[in-house]
Amino acid sequence: MIVEVAVPKKYVEYLDEEISLVKTIYPVVGNVFVVKKPNRKTYISATILDELREKRFDKLVVMDSLKPTQIINLVRELRKDVIDRSMLILEIFANHAGSLEAKLQIELAQLRHNLPLIKEAIRYAKIGEMHGFLGAGEYGFEKYYFMLKRRENKVRREIERVRKTRALRRERRERLGYPHVAIIGYTCAGKTTLFNRLTMLSKPVGPEPFTTLTPKSYKVRFNTIEAVVTDTVGFIRDLPPEVLEAFYATLEEVAESDLILNVIDSSKPLKRIIDEVETSMSILGKIGCRGKPLIHVLNKIDLVSSGRLKEVMEGLERALNNSQDSIIPVSAEKNINIDELVLLVESTLKRVLKR
Ligand SMILES: Nc1nc2c(ncn2[C@@H]2O[C@H](COP(=O)(O)OP(=O)(O)O)[C@@H](O)[C@H]2O)c(=O)[nH]1
Ligand SMILES: [Mg+2]
């Protein structure tokens, strides 16, 4: 599957991150083009639409929030699937979601996003022309709409029910007997690279004992201690409001962890590093993680000079003033200082387990 990607001008300085978000779901990215001035009807200008018609691709990903009419018009113009940034982010969440509640919250957000689209589609007379739109398949759009509406009500009731049993699940997890380490951080910080680096140290275990956890969890040995490590969805810059509830639901794993590794890209400008760390800490506070053991993993040190690293470490320490959190510089990719990180995780977990 080839996707073409439209990025609004406001995200040009974060192009790498935006493309990396797309690639987590669609590894083959064709062309990326910048939209300078979105157009009301189709978001993308007529000129670019003409260019797109000449190209071979399967899906258009627009990294912005589109109105239902804009999506429908694009689908009609291009006869291809079109998704916007919210839909992409919900797919990323769905890939990471482990708990039933997170899955339901994500489905609810997807339904809420799709219902107005279908309503809009119903307004068009020639609905039959819409190319594979939203997988309506054999259902008429009306029928499809009411089916999704019923599903929405059901999901809402399920969420209520699941919330009541949350405490029960937590207990069950504790009985698994391993401490839990959650890897968080912004897009592209190197969470997955670190996760892979850590899991390389251990034999992967079958998914079966961890079915209550996310699909991205592995058992890792930190010298004398074994722990379950989860590669979380982490933080995405500029989250659309309609996905916030689903986002918080995916963070449940973090809230229930015994130790958090906050991965930071040390090659970013210091101001951005500090802004992101501050936002991360405030989100963690909101989900009840204040005071939970936390290690800031300053990643990608292979890309920065020692002088700059010192500057970043000091800046970060100032920003985190009098917090108990440790800071450790590493390179997950170049395998620098990972042994020290393993030791630090081991000693921190020992302390946690004694409590
Ligand atoms: N130079 C360098 N690149 C890294 C390092 N760790 C990760 N990367 C690169 O950063 C990009 C994002 O990494 P990824 O693990 O997917 O980030 P995630 O979005 O936080 O999961 C990838 O291109 C990695 O190869 C590192 O220590 N040094
Ligand atoms: Mg990742």
Side-chain angles (χ1 to χ4, degrees):
M1 152 118 56
I2 307 172
V3 300
E4 294 280 302
V5 182
V7 179
K9 209 170 127 220
K10 62 179 175 183
Y11 290 157
V12 166
E13 78 175 287
Y14 309 105
L15 206 56
D16 285 356
E17 280 177 34
E18 294 298 302
I19 302 305
S20 143
L21 286 177
V22 176
K23 283 190 173 164
T24 54
I25 303 289
Y26 305 106
V28 189
V29 169
N31 300 282
V32 177
F33 51 93
V34 175
V35 176
K36 293 216 181 71
K37 204 165 159 269
N39 125 357
R40 206 168 48 89
K41 199 164 157 261
T42 52
Y43 187 86
I44 285 164
S45 73
T47 332
I48 295 181
L49 279 180
D50 283 340
E51 280 171 32
L52 279 172
R53 278 193 205 91
E54 304 292 307
K55 292 200 170 109
R56 270 195 53 200
F57 66 99
D58 304 290
K59 197 181 265 228
L60 173 68
V61 182
V62 180
M63 292 309 274
D64 206 346
S65 287
L66 297 193
K67 295 198 178 64
T69 47
Q70 289 172 319
I71 296 185
I72 298 290
N73 286 332
L74 276 173
V75 170
R76 287 170 60 89
E77 290 284 339
L78 296 169
R79 318 224 147 248
K80 296 268 163 59
D81 263 355
V82 176
I83 66 165
D84 73 355
R85 195 166 183 268
S86 302
M87 285 200 250
L88 179 81
I89 289 173
L90 289 171
E91 279 184 53
I92 297 173
F93 289 170
N95 269 0
H96 281 261
S99 73
L100 182 57
E101 186 181 341
K103 285 186 182 129
L104 290 168
Q105 286 289 2
I106 293 159
E107 187 181 351
L108 186 61
Q110 285 170 328
L111 286 165
R112 282 194 185 139
H113 193 283
N114 286 342
L115 278 164
L117 284 184
I118 295 164
K119 217 168 190 173
E120 189 61 31
I122 292 170
R123 283 180 35 205
Y124 285 91
K126 293 180 184 168
I127 265 151
E129 282 179 18
M130 301 195 104
H131 177 91
F133 180 60
L134 293 173
E138 68 213 61
Y139 296 96
F141 276 81
E142 292 282 339
K143 237 179 172 173
Y144 189 53
Y145 181 82
F146 287 109
M147 191 187 87
L148 293 190
K149 207 66 198 157
R150 276 196 301 277
R151 180 70 196 156
E152 189 192 11
N153 287 325
K154 182 142 190 282
V155 170
R156 229 189 281 271
R157 284 197 304 272
E158 275 285 292
I159 290 172
E160 289 306 311
R161 192 182 61 78
V162 166
R163 277 197 174 142
K164 292 198 187 106
T165 58
R166 193 193 267 169
L168 216 121
R169 264 184 297 124
R170 193 165 303 163
E171 233 171 71
R172 203 180 310 145
R173 170 173 300 162
E174 272 161 16
R175 272 191 267 123
L176 284 173
Y178 297 104
H180 190 180
V181 179
I183 302 180
I184 63 162
Y186 272 82
T187 314
C188 275
K191 297 180 294 296
T192 303
T193 311
L194 180 67
F195 177 76
N196 292 339
R197 177 64 63 196
L198 292 174
T199 54
M200 254 192 269
L201 304 170
S202 317
K203 270 195 288 246
V205 289
E208 153 256 342
F210 300 116
T211 40
T212 56
L213 302 178
T214 72
K216 315 277 182 191
S217 293
Y218 268 90
K219 196 166 81 180
V220 175
R221 173 172 283 286
F222 296 93
N223 300 323
T224 58
I225 292 189
E226 280 186 306
V228 174
V229 178
T230 300
D231 180 15
T232 74
V233 65
F235 304 132
I236 298 173
R237 190 183 34 74
D238 207 7
L239 273 182
E242 57 174 333
V243 309
L244 279 181
E245 224 163 324
F247 166 66
Y248 280 106
T250 64
L251 288 180
E252 197 192 334
E253 237 82 35
V254 180
E256 292 182 11
S257 68
D258 302 289
L259 168 64
I260 298 171
L261 302 184
N262 180 36
V263 183
I264 300 163
D265 179 347
S266 64
S267 69
K268 280 185 185 170
L270 183 58
K271 186 176 175 309
R272 239 179 103 189
I273 292 180
I274 289 177
D275 277 356
E276 289 180 357
V277 169
E278 280 170 354
T279 312
S280 308
M281 294 306 106
S282 111
I283 294 170
L284 290 179
K286 275 190 202 144
I287 59 167
C289 289
R290 198 161 285 130
K292 198 187 273 290
L294 192 148
I295 300 171
H296 296 280
V297 181
L298 209 45
N299 190 31
K300 306 197 188 181
I301 58 165
D302 54 297
L303 296 178
V304 302
S305 69
S306 55
R308 203 180 95 123
L309 181 61
K310 191 161 166 273
E311 201 184 302
V312 173
M313 297 271 289
E314 284 168 4
L316 197 54
E317 266 160 27
R318 259 198 313 279
L320 294 167
N321 70 339
N322 64 45
S323 95
Q324 300 293 303
D325 310 342
S326 339
I327 305 174
I328 182 169
V330 304
S331 168
E333 195 167 83
K334 299 286 178 325
N335 202 5
I336 304 169
N337 226 21
I338 298 297
D339 292 348
E340 281 70 17
L341 173 64
V342 168
L343 281 171
L344 184 58
V345 171
E346 182 195 21
S347 63
T348 312
L349 285 177
K350 268 192 181 152
R351 218 175 49 233
V352 173
L353 294 177
K354 262 204 207 112
R355 265 190 231 151

